[in-house]
Amino acid sequence: MNMETTMASLGQRCRYAFGFRMSTFADSFQQESHGYWRSITERPVLQESRARFDLSVYGCWEEDEEDGESTFELFVQSLGNGAVSMHHEAAWDHLIANRERIEQVLRAELMRHHKLGWSGFQRDRDDDVEGWEDVQDLVDWESESAIDKLYTLTSITLGPEVRDDCAIARFHFHSSWDTEHGLDISLWRSDIAE
């Protein structure tokens, strides 16, 4: 065995020992800054959701332009070593294999958030809020279908937290109820991560 083969073999063993695995998944990322890697991919869940309104305290009632984008950003945040690891890939593989179940979990959590926003809005809204009559019939406020007009999945960050062999995935949403901060939901596999 020559020196070049020995070094390549050693490098591969080190990558596996530290949880790295060169793969198509890892190769799709570009390093953004220390510990952050970014990839552009298809939106895996809630593909039809598009936040249409600003319902914040300082909000206007204008409908946003529909961008129609089906791609979004996937980030990996690494601990220490700064690389895309098998833990990140395991989280993504689980998401893709279980996207229907994960969408159900996300929708349930978004609906919980929406009900809080809607009840608070009804309590605090004056009957003469300017522009309310223009949008009140554009959303079925009591229905789960409201989610598709009030939230947009903008990106997912995998890690840095890892449980067992799988990174926690944070789903970042634009929310019409809080246009400044949005909403984050963290999942470990298919469960809400507390």
Side-chain angles (χ1 to χ4, degrees):
M1 189 179 286
N2 65 29
M3 183 65 146
E4 187 176 314
T5 305
T6 302
M7 291 306 289
S9 176
L10 178 61
Q12 186 169 3
R13 285 200 306 272
C14 285
R15 283 195 295 274
Y16 278 102
F18 287 102
F20 311 133
R21 182 172 71 200
M22 298 308 289
S23 65
T24 305
F25 176 77
D27 289 343
S28 69
F29 288 83
Q30 298 292 320
Q31 189 163 14
E32 290 289 298
S33 61
H34 182 68
Y36 277 94
W37 297 70
R38 176 178 169 265
S39 177
I40 301 295
T41 187
E42 294 294 315
R43 190 178 293 135
V45 291
L46 292 150
Q47 295 178 17
E48 302 305 316
S49 65
R50 299 285 189 277
R52 302 287 204 279
F53 311 106
D54 181 350
L55 299 167
S56 62
V57 174
Y58 307 104
C60 61
W61 295 102
E62 295 176 7
E63 186 167 0
D64 292 338
E65 290 291 323
E66 186 172 348
D67 60 12
E69 290 290 327
S70 61
T71 58
F72 82 122
E73 295 176 313
L74 175 64
F75 293 96
V76 158
Q77 186 179 359
S78 302
L79 261 181
N81 56 40
V84 178
S85 75
M86 62 185 180
H87 302 92
H88 301 111
E89 189 165 358
W92 184 251
D93 288 347
H94 180 84
L95 168 58
I96 297 305
N98 299 279
R99 69 176 78 198
E100 290 177 6
R101 171 67 184 138
I102 287 171
E103 178 149 351
Q104 290 174 352
V105 172
L106 291 173
R107 281 186 174 278
E109 193 66 12
L110 290 173
M111 193 64 188
R112 188 180 72 74
H113 185 266
H114 167 63
K115 285 180 178 178
L116 289 173
W118 178 235
S119 65
F121 180 74
Q122 288 179 305
R123 181 185 64 242
D124 298 338
R125 178 177 64 86
D126 295 329
D127 289 335
D128 60 351
V129 170
E130 184 179 346
W132 171 240
E133 64 279 357
D134 297 331
V135 297
Q136 62 184 346
D137 297 327
L138 297 179
V139 176
D140 185 354
W141 301 95
E142 305 286 340
S143 165
E144 186 179 315
S145 67
I147 289 167
D148 292 318
K149 294 191 175 186
L150 301 175
Y151 298 92
T152 305
L153 178 63
T154 57
S155 63
I156 298 174
T157 300
L158 305 176
E161 303 89 355
V162 171
R163 292 187 189 166
D164 296 333
D165 60 347
C166 187
I168 289 179
R170 286 175 295 164
F171 296 78
H172 309 285
F173 291 92
H174 174 80
S175 166
S176 292
W177 293 114
D178 187 345
T179 54
E180 183 177 356
H181 302 103
L183 173 69
D184 288 350
I185 300 173
S186 295
L187 297 184
W188 179 70
R189 298 192 184 276
S190 303
D191 299 320
I192 299 292
E194 300 297 333

